[in-house]
Amino acid sequence: MTILTLIKPLFKKQTKRIYGPQEIPPWHFLYGKKCWRCGHYERKLRLYDKSVIIVVVYRFYCPETRKTYSLLPFFISRYERHINTVLEDVLYGRLVDGLPIENLSEEPAPSPWTVRRWIHKFGAILENSKQSVEIFLIRNIPDYHPATVSMSSHPFKTLLEKASHLEANQSHLSFFSPLSYIFYVNAM
């Protein structure tokens, strides 16, 4: 199982290894339970400039549930090898701009097959996230009023605009893209 956590890494040219979060976040049901760290694994990620960094992901074991949980930073998605900003740009290009899949893919990555998989997988997740994002914004952002938000002609673009309100109003949340905020709301 994966626990998505808040983290703001700084990607610099000399940075090749980033250590992920090492504490269970307060909003997770495992917070405060007697869990112990049971190792880690390394995950390679591709950045925009095609460079590869390594993220060290820590794992915890909960004796009560008898499961192992990984503390995965929010700037990456489960089972993906690219940061969320790459995913967001590909989804935006296809869903909003209507670009062909071949124009969105590059060699060696992401390939056209990867782009198709992202559109299928994340398109469904985002479609189901509309209501939870709206509810989260209404409950947690005092300045947010649904009637004042401009509605775009495309639902995905509107969802990203709504998620960007979290960045403007929550200084303790540190993500790199509105897509990461949407994943955060879904995890809560």
Side-chain angles (χ1 to χ4, degrees):
M1 304 221 24
T2 303
I3 304 170
L4 299 175
T5 58
L6 304 171
I7 185 173
K8 185 174 185 177
L10 300 174
F11 298 123
K12 298 179 183 174
K13 288 292 181 187
Q14 66 268 23
T15 302
K16 294 294 180 191
R17 182 178 301 268
I18 294 175
Y19 292 90
Q22 300 180 30
E23 296 177 8
I24 297 173
W27 53 264
H28 198 271
F29 73 91
L30 288 178
Y31 183 75
K33 292 187 178 183
K34 295 191 182 218
C35 297
W36 59 81
R37 193 162 47 180
C38 64
H40 67 278
Y41 62 91
E42 294 179 350
R43 177 128 174 234
K44 292 182 180 178
L45 284 177
R46 276 189 197 272
L47 303 178
Y48 267 109
D49 63 356
K50 306 292 185 259
S51 63
V52 175
I53 62 167
I54 296 172
V55 177
V56 177
V57 178
Y58 292 96
R59 297 170 53 169
F60 286 82
Y61 176 75
C62 177
E64 189 176 305
T65 62
R66 295 184 180 189
K67 292 183 180 178
T68 302
Y69 297 86
S70 299
L71 287 174
L72 190 65
F74 263 103
F75 61 90
I76 55 177
S77 297
R78 292 178 67 184
Y79 309 116
E80 300 300 333
R81 299 292 178 219
H82 291 80
I83 60 174
N84 284 343
T85 50
V86 175
L87 292 168
E88 182 181 319
D89 287 347
V90 167
L91 290 170
Y92 192 90
R94 179 66 179 160
L95 298 175
V96 177
D97 297 335
L99 296 174
I101 290 174
E102 291 73 25
N103 291 4
L104 298 170
S105 64
E106 291 184 22
E107 291 301 326
S111 68
W113 298 279
T114 301
V115 171
R116 282 186 190 93
R117 182 175 51 80
W118 286 350
I119 291 168
H120 178 71
K121 176 183 176 182
F122 293 108
I125 290 172
L126 294 171
E127 185 65 34
N128 296 331
S129 300
K130 292 176 186 175
Q131 185 176 2
S132 58
V133 168
E134 191 70 35
I135 291 169
F136 185 85
L137 286 169
I138 291 169
R139 288 183 182 165
N140 296 305
I141 309 296
D143 299 337
Y144 177 77
H145 301 289
T148 61
V149 176
S150 62
M151 298 297 285
S152 171
S153 60
H154 196 279
F156 178 62
K157 188 174 180 182
T158 302
L159 185 62
L160 292 179
E161 289 170 1
K162 287 182 179 189
S164 66
H165 284 279
L166 284 169
E167 182 178 23
N169 291 297
Q170 300 285 337
S171 60
H172 66 281
L173 298 178
S174 302
F175 303 131
F176 285 107
S177 69
L179 188 64
S180 295
Y181 288 109
I182 294 167
F183 294 150
Y184 171 73
V185 170
N186 283 338
M188 295 190 67

